[in-house]
């Protein structure tokens, strides 16, 4: 069987976790392919809300296996907390959560380096989640990193010590003061490692390719969003991994010709958390209202998310880079009640009208050009069937489908698993 791919098309927090949970019943394996605890994937069902950071969003289903792929970076401290939350809710994971030996480990000093790097940048800071993501991927590509598989070797503590000592020297290079108690951080890290070691470590590329041969179905789960991709995002205000479709191939070891459907998840509007350009950002009451109704606060850091209108120029760019075959529109319910909705269909860039994402989308270069669409008043949150959709919502959907030339197959109208309409 093939691998289907699910990823975010904007700046993250599109609702990937919710949809992976909804789709898990159709798959044998859910495999997370990149990112780490910078992600916060929210699932709501049976009156409970769960936020996952590193664990794939299929974990609440009885039979699906969940693989943390080689492209993911794992912080044992945060991972332990995630597992404890599952323990508290009697969710059994021991036999259905598998960790790639090639996944890299976030050390306590990676987090310190992240903090030092951000602090030293001052106003130019990226707005990192400070989970040590950048420094860990830097050690990966710099060929210095520690991997999960190292924990099965006798000398892993020496490796750990050497890398930590190097990090401490690096910390001294920064012209900022970062207070820390390494002993305490390391004690916490050791407890995390012990918990991690209770799980099954696998050669995940081998495991997944064998599963494909055996006819098993796999859903690859992305983290962050395409506009945070290290290559195609709004660099340098991005994360440190490939969040786009190609990242699933390198992050799992599955070949491009194994990928079948690419599900692109987007919000009916746009949000961004952290710094960086955002052409359709709203600084007025409309943006405030979206944030309030949409409860736009980060699932990992609690930070207020910036809100704005849907940007079709950016969305089309993301669809192209990912080869999206189906779109899934989230949070349509949040737009109920606006008389007029705006959708950005082009940019005015250095005096010219363009309809592609240029190299430089800083606010001084870009002015969004909007098409106005009539809004709908009906509350969508209790809607269960596509035939109940208000006409103006259908027009909104139709407009996006025509512009992107991709069908919208799912419309989400609330955070709960059940508030999902398949078209
Ligand atoms: P992810 O990182 O892509 O998994 O998304 P997050 O979990 O960070 O953010 C999405 C937020 O929107 C969460 O609080 C979800 O519970 C919520 N959510 C998801 N889909 C919908 C929807 O259709 N309507 C509303 N109102 N909330 C939604
Ligand atoms: P999910 O998977 C939204 C943002 C941070 C910051 C930039 C770099 O929940 O959609 P990092 O910690 O990676 O160094 O931060 O990327 N960011 C996210 N924004 N959702 C996420 O994940 C994010 N992961 C990172 O806010 O701007
Ligand atoms: Mg999130």
């Amino acid at each position: 069987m093939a691998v289907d791919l699910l990823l975010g098309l904007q700046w993250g927090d599109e609702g990937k976790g919710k949809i992976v949970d909804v789709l898990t019943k159709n798959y044998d394996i859910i495999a997370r392919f990149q990112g780490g605890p910078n992600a916060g994937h929210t699932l709501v069902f049976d009156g409970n809300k769960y936020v996952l950071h590193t664990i794939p969003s299929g974990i609440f289903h009885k039979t699906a296996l969940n693989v943390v792929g080689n492209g993911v970076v794992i912080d044992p401290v945060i991972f332990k907390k995630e597992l404890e939350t599952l323990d508290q809710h009697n969710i059994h994971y021991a036999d259905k959560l598998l960790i790639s030996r090639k996944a890299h480990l976030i050390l306590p000093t990676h987090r310190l380096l992240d903090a030092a790097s951000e602090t030293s940048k001052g106003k130019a800071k990226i707005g990192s989640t400070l989970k040590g993501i950048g420094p860990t991927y830097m050690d990966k590509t710099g060929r210095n990193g520690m991997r999960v598989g190292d924990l099965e070797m006798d000398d892993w503590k020496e490796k750990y010590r050497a890398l930590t000592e190097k990090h401490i020297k690096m910390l001294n290079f920064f012209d900022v003061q970062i207070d820390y108690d390494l002993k305490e951080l390391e004690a916490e890290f050791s407890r995390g490692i012990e918990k991690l070691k209770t799980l099954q470590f696998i050669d995940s590329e081998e495991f997944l390719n064998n599963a494909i041969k055996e006819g098993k179905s796999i859903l690859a789960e992305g983290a962050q969003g395409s506009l945070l991709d290290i290559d195609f995002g709004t660099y340098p205000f991005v994360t440190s991994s490939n969040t786009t479709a190609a990242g699933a191939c390198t992050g799992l070891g599955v070949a491009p010709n194994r990928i079948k459907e690419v599900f692109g998840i987007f919000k009916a509007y746009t949000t961004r958390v952290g710094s960086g350009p955002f052409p359709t950002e709203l600084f007025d009451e409309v943006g405030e209202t979206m944030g309030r109704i949409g409860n736009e606060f980060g699932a990992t850091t609690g930070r207020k998310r910036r809100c704005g209108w849907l940007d079709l120029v950016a969305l089309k760019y993301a669809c192209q880079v990912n080869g999206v075959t189906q779109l899934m529109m989230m949070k349509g319910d949040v737009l109920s009640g606006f008389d007029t909705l705006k959708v950005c269909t082009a940019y005015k860039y250095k005096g010219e009208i363009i309809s592609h994402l240029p190299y430089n989308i800083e606010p001084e270069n870009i002015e969004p050009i909007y098409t106005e669409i009539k809004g709908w008043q009906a509350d969508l949150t209790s809607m269960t069937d596509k035939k109940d959709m208000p006409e103006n919502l259908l027009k909104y959907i139709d407009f996006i489908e025509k512009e992107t030339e991709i069908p919208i197959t799912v419309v989400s109208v609330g955070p709960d698993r059940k508030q999902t309409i398949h078209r």
Side-chain angles (χ1 to χ4, degrees):
M1 281 272 271
V3 180
D4 291 340
L5 184 48
L6 184 146
L7 39 78
L9 298 179
Q10 296 160 319
W11 279 288
D13 303 329
E14 296 89 351
K16 299 173 292 291
K18 167 181 165 162
I19 295 296
V20 170
D21 172 58
V22 167
L23 296 180
T24 296
K25 61 180 186 308
N26 306 331
Y27 293 92
D28 299 307
I29 300 169
I30 308 299
R32 179 72 185 268
F33 61 84
Q34 45 67 236
N38 49 349
H41 295 178
T42 313
L43 287 69
V44 178
F45 56 89
D46 299 341
N48 287 319
K49 174 175 150 176
Y50 303 91
V51 179
L52 296 169
H53 302 286
T54 327
I55 295 174
S57 301
I59 200 71
F60 295 98
H61 290 252
K62 285 220 160 60
T63 54
L65 295 177
N66 289 263
V67 174
V68 177
N70 58 279
V72 175
V73 290
I74 300 175
D75 184 334
V77 177
I78 296 177
F79 203 74
K80 177 171 177 277
K81 287 186 189 144
E82 286 192 68
L83 294 174
E84 284 165 355
T85 306
L86 296 180
D87 288 331
Q88 280 159 17
H89 289 89
N90 287 321
I91 307 296
H92 301 289
Y93 53 77
D95 52 353
K96 54 176 192 170
L97 181 58
L98 310 167
I99 317 292
S100 174
R101 288 197 172 89
K102 294 196 172 82
H104 278 246
L105 291 171
I106 302 177
L107 273 44
T109 41
H110 282 131
R111 269 185 273 137
L112 299 175
L113 285 168
D114 212 359
S117 167
E118 278 286 82
T119 310
S120 71
K121 282 191 162 118
K123 272 194 180 149
K125 72 173 185 191
I126 289 160
S128 163
T129 60
L130 303 179
K131 303 295 176 195
I133 305 295
T136 305
Y137 279 116
M138 279 165 70
D139 268 341
K140 175 178 177 173
T141 50
R143 296 155 296 174
N144 300 309
M146 266 194 74
R147 299 187 290 178
V148 167
D150 289 335
L151 300 174
E152 295 172 324
M153 310 289 165
D154 292 332
D155 65 344
W156 78 264
K157 287 190 177 155
E158 283 98 88
K159 249 189 191 165
Y160 167 85
R161 186 56 50 212
L163 189 53
T164 296
E165 277 168 16
K166 184 177 156 189
H167 288 164
I168 294 194
K169 284 187 200 142
M170 287 165 73
L171 274 172
N172 294 332
F173 276 111
F174 285 98
D175 200 15
V176 293
Q177 179 70 29
I178 300 289
D179 295 324
Y180 59 90
D181 179 343
L182 191 59
K183 249 200 171 136
E184 199 174 292
L185 293 174
E186 290 190 330
E188 204 184 22
F189 182 74
S190 290
R191 291 192 290 272
I193 293 286
E194 288 317 308
K195 184 81 178 170
L196 189 62
K197 281 165 82 178
T198 62
L199 296 175
Q200 296 180 60
F201 299 164
I202 59 166
D203 296 331
S204 52
E205 64 280 26
E206 192 68 21
F207 176 85
L208 293 170
N209 282 295
N210 283 336
I212 294 170
K213 275 190 210 146
E214 288 162 15
K216 301 253 165 65
S217 54
I218 301 174
L219 178 65
E221 175 179 3
Q224 287 82 55
S226 303
L227 303 176
L228 289 170
D229 182 277
I230 183 72
D231 282 284
F232 301 108
T234 47
Y235 193 88
F237 301 101
V238 293
T239 190
S240 297
S241 63
N242 282 116
T243 59
T244 45
C249 296
T250 56
L252 296 176
V254 297
N257 60 358
R258 299 288 183 214
I259 310 271
K260 197 169 154 231
E261 295 295 327
V262 180
F263 305 124
I265 314 288
F266 72 102
K267 274 180 192 163
Y269 49 101
T270 310
T271 63
R272 172 163 209 172
V273 62
S275 330
F278 177 179
T280 61
E281 182 168 10
L282 289 164
F283 300 95
D284 59 7
E285 185 48 39
V286 177
E288 283 293 317
T289 307
M290 279 178 188
R292 193 176 59 249
I293 301 175
N295 193 22
E296 295 296 356
F297 294 92
T300 295
T301 58
R303 289 178 294 174
K304 196 172 174 189
R305 296 178 184 142
R306 301 151 65 191
C307 295
W309 295 116
L310 182 64
D311 184 342
L312 275 179
V313 179
L315 191 72
K316 284 199 259 186
Y317 174 79
C319 288
Q320 173 174 278
V321 169
N322 290 304
V324 172
T325 60
Q326 297 183 38
L327 285 167
M328 300 185 173
M329 188 174 92
M330 312 301 291
K331 300 192 111 167
D333 55 299
V334 176
L335 294 186
S336 290
F338 289 101
D339 290 332
T340 307
L341 304 173
K342 290 187 185 182
V343 178
C344 169
T345 45
Y347 296 147
K348 193 165 182 188
Y349 178 69
K350 298 183 177 169
E352 259 181 70
I353 308 290
I354 58 165
S355 53
H356 70 275
L357 201 72
Y359 183 74
N360 191 330
I361 66 161
E362 268 60 43
E364 58 273 23
N365 300 311
I366 289 276
E367 189 192 317
I369 310 232
Y370 290 107
T371 297
E372 295 198 348
I373 300 179
K374 271 216 167 77
W376 57 88
Q377 302 305 313
D379 173 15
L380 308 183
T381 53
S382 51
M383 200 162 52
T384 52
D385 197 299
K386 58 185 181 218
K387 67 177 187 318
D388 301 328
M389 287 185 183
E391 201 184 325
N392 287 347
L393 169 62
L394 290 172
K395 282 187 183 155
Y396 193 74
I397 291 172
D398 190 53
F399 185 79
I400 298 166
E401 286 185 326
K402 284 214 173 85
E403 284 279 324
T404 56
E405 300 178 60
I406 301 168
I408 297 180
T409 56
V410 167
V411 177
S412 173
V413 292
D416 195 279
R417 215 186 238 177
K418 288 189 188 138
Q419 293 169 301
T420 312
I421 301 174
H422 298 266
R423 296 174 80 230

